[in-house]
Amino acid sequence: MEKKVTLEDIVSLAKRRGFVYPSSEIYGGLSGVYDYGPLGVKLKHNIQNLWWNSFVSAWDDMYPTDSAILGPEKVFEASGHLAGFKDPMVVCSNCHSQFRADHVEGDKCPHCGKTATLGEPRQFNMMLQTQLGAVEGEGQTAYLRPETAQGIFTNFKNVLDSFSPDIPFGIAQIGKSFRNEISPRDFLFRMREMEMMEIEYFVHPDKWEEAFEEWRVGIKTFFGKVGLPEKMVHEHEIEEAERAHYSKRTIDFEFDYPFGQKELMGLAYRGDYDLSNHQKVAGKSMEYQPKDGSQPFIPHVVEPSFGLDRLVLAVLVASYATDEQGGEKRVFLKLPAEIAPVKVAVFPLLKNKPELVKKAREVYEMQKKELGAVMWDDNGNIGKRYRRQDEIGTPYCVTVDFDSLQNDDVTVRDRDSTLQERVKISDLLEKLQ
Ligand code: GAP
């Protein structure tokens, strides 16, 4: 029987195998900030690429942008973030630690453990502010964006002018966002620096419900592609009082993380909230003029917003598996091949036999040229190499042994079943593809 994965299992594997490291760790780290290591970068890029191929490349009416992280105050005044992007905060009267009010149960401080007066919650703005310019007191206040979405809205007119798209159409963007979370926690789940993959899909005001339903289906299909089992994903209709300040309807897609069923991403209907406010504050028209000459209007927006780090964490949790092989416990990641950081590992059976190494090197170069994400591994014995590759989710291991020299074939081992078969080198690429 498989044991339930814990967050500690994931954090430990991520660190050990080079997926995710605590940021600035040699200086004690920075709370809510993480760095991706070599394999984490590859996994993240593969997930990003799958998202891009599913929602940008595959669509005729999708326009990507890559807007700046820094924005002037006016943008966030218009977006409502300066006034409304707040979380309720309480402070422990004993140790002065700060917490999000809804993260504290009872009157015990989660940090010092003592019964404390936590006081009335006060509203804490999560925007990260900075000053631009060299002269103290004369600089310009700017903000690190809390969502990529505002860069899409502020470029809405530019995209209209450059491409004259027919409505409906979308603008898509991947990039970093920043939130001064009161209590960052749960590894990649609640961070202060995070990456988002967002789409603002502009529709006629009468057509938003149709679009909303289409996105709902599209999101679920995408989760299947990254290997999230249907039974681990749950839709949660958010009540009006709980919705973000801009939203008229939101469905959160929640995932069974080891610390509970929590929001993985959100699908929101933002109406014309953002474009109308930018029109007001910037004094620039945000209207769309239909090509048939009918009345111009401000489009409404359906927004699927994916947190990439939460998705990476969900993928690691969903793929984490254990079993027993030859009386020993094995940990492996059942990653879909498309997002696995390494697709194939190639080994010579022994590293001190030049003829084996030469042959294995030829096999490696051949596969690398075609498949890209191929790893050479000759460290330790074969058992150790298998275990290492299993832990990073490599779907296939290819071993070149003494028979290979005679028969021009290799052993191909399947990660999940651990079954091995002999495959002719000339057929190997087709088999792996
Ligand atoms: N533009 C819409 C928006 O910003 P949100 O629900 O606040 O909506 C979207 O954030 C997604 O970003 C969330 O569903 C989650 O995946 C991710 N996210 C939000 N805050 C996060 C945090 N502190 N750490 C990691 N991911 C976060």
Side-chain angles (χ1 to χ4, degrees):
M1 169 108 171
E2 284 192 9
K3 114 175 162 29
K4 251 189 147 184
V5 60
T6 65
L7 190 61
E8 289 68 38
D9 292 331
I10 300 291
V11 173
S12 151
L13 185 146
K15 169 97 198 288
R16 196 171 60 249
R17 293 296 180 207
F19 283 90
V20 181
Y21 307 123
S23 194
S24 305
E25 194 185 12
I26 57 169
Y27 293 102
L30 191 57
S31 178
V33 184
Y34 287 90
D35 295 340
Y36 282 83
L39 293 183
V41 172
K42 289 180 183 176
L43 175 64
K44 193 166 78 148
H45 278 181
N46 292 344
I47 294 174
Q48 272 175 350
N49 285 344
L50 198 53
W51 182 90
W52 193 266
N53 292 338
S54 305
F55 297 128
V56 182
S57 309
W59 292 50
D60 291 332
D61 56 2
M62 199 58 78
Y63 297 82
T65 53
D66 186 359
S67 67
I69 285 170
L70 287 170
E73 194 152 35
K74 283 276 175 205
V75 168
F76 303 107
E77 181 192 319
S79 72
H81 282 89
L82 283 180
F85 197 53
K86 293 175 176 164
D87 269 345
M89 181 178 80
V90 288
V91 182
C92 170
S93 59
N94 184 54
C95 70
H96 309 294
S97 298
Q98 300 168 339
F99 304 98
R100 235 174 82 165
D102 55 336
H103 287 172
V104 184
E105 278 169 25
D107 56 0
K108 249 208 179 101
C109 170
H111 184 246
C112 68
K114 297 204 170 126
T115 305
T117 315
L118 296 167
E120 276 302 301
R122 84 182 154 83
Q123 295 301 314
F124 175 80
N125 193 300
M126 293 196 289
M127 297 280 289
L128 279 149
Q129 199 191 62
T130 188
Q131 295 295 315
L132 305 183
V135 185
E136 207 176 318
E138 288 180 21
Q140 186 192 357
T141 299
Y143 291 87
L144 304 185
R145 62 184 179 198
E147 55 171 6
T148 69
Q150 293 310 319
I152 295 180
F153 294 123
T154 53
N155 277 303
F156 170 74
K157 258 301 190 201
N158 287 333
V159 173
L160 277 192
D161 292 346
S162 306
F163 300 95
S164 308
D166 285 320
I167 217 149
F169 70 94
I171 303 183
Q173 181 155 286
I174 298 181
K176 291 264 186 161
S177 297
F178 301 80
R179 296 182 181 188
N180 196 5
E181 292 282 352
I182 301 166
S183 29
R185 50 162 74 179
D186 297 326
F187 195 35
L188 305 179
F189 183 80
R190 193 169 299 286
M191 306 163 84
R192 287 182 167 142
E193 175 176 340
M194 74 199 95
E195 199 151 354
M196 288 171 140
M197 306 188 289
E198 298 199 293
I199 289 165
E200 305 304 321
Y201 198 63
F202 298 97
V203 297
H204 187 279
D206 296 341
K207 297 275 170 66
W208 75 267
E209 278 163 311
E210 242 168 79
F212 197 90
E213 283 313 311
E214 280 170 24
W215 276 105
R216 197 174 175 169
V217 175
I219 288 165
K220 285 196 272 196
T221 308
F222 176 73
F223 285 153
K225 290 188 197 168
V226 291
L228 304 188
E230 259 177 57
K231 63 176 192 314
M232 294 182 87
V233 179
H234 315 273
E235 288 185 36
H236 178 190
E237 180 84 42
I238 305 297
E239 284 177 27
E240 193 177 343
E242 300 296 319
R243 288 200 291 261
H245 60 276
Y246 48 73
S247 171
K248 289 198 164 83
R249 183 177 179 198
T250 296
I251 291 180
D252 278 352
F253 287 80
E254 298 181 339
F255 178 76
D256 291 327
Y257 289 102
F259 41 87
Q261 183 182 317
K262 295 274 158 84
E263 175 187 342
L264 165 57
M265 60 83 59
L267 174 63
Y269 167 48
R270 293 174 83 127
D272 64 351
Y273 179 89
D274 301 271
L275 289 182
S276 289
N277 281 337
H278 284 303
Q279 177 166 291
K280 238 180 275 156
V281 175
K284 302 265 164 37
S285 167
M286 293 291 156
E287 284 186 332
Y288 172 84
Q289 172 63 63
K291 287 181 189 140
D292 63 5
S294 56
Q295 271 303 92
F297 60 89
I298 295 185
H300 283 207
V301 163
V302 172
E303 178 199 61
S305 174
F306 292 78
L308 181 51
D309 311 276
R310 282 192 192 180
L311 191 55
V312 168
L313 180 57
V315 163
L316 288 173
V317 169
S319 63
Y320 189 97
T322 55
D323 65 7
E324 229 182 74
Q325 295 294 333
E328 264 186 53
K329 183 189 157 189
R330 173 176 82 123
V331 172
F332 61 116
L333 294 184
K334 279 200 238 176
L335 292 171
E338 201 171 348
I339 58 169
V342 178
K343 314 288 181 219
V344 180
V346 178
F347 322 142
L349 180 67
L350 299 170
K351 79 169 178 185
N352 57 358
K353 297 282 174 212
E355 64 278 30
L356 282 186
V357 173
K358 182 166 176 277
K359 186 91 183 164
R361 210 70 214 177
E362 280 168 22
V363 172
Y364 167 75
E365 300 292 351
M366 238 166 10
Q367 308 309 311
K368 179 106 185 147
K369 207 163 100 204
E370 299 299 326
L371 301 172
V374 180
M375 187 186 261
W376 172 264
D377 194 353
D378 59 8
N379 262 328
N381 63 36
I382 284 285
K384 280 213 177 101
R385 295 180 210 166
Y386 281 153
R387 268 198 296 286
R388 229 177 359 246
Q389 296 300 330
D390 286 343
E391 267 205 319
I392 65 172
T394 306
Y396 293 108
C397 291
V398 171
T399 305
V400 173
D401 56 20
F402 290 104
D403 287 344
S404 308
L405 303 177
Q406 305 301 321
N407 306 329
D408 259 333
D409 61 3
V410 289
T411 301
V412 177
R413 172 191 179 266
D414 178 274
R415 174 194 67 202
D416 299 343
S417 66
T418 73
L419 292 177
Q420 304 188 8
E421 60 174 312
R422 295 299 289 189
V423 176
K424 284 276 175 211
I425 292 174
S426 52
D427 298 335
L428 183 61
L429 187 61
E430 205 185 322
K431 158 88 189 155
L432 296 173
Q433 273 168 339

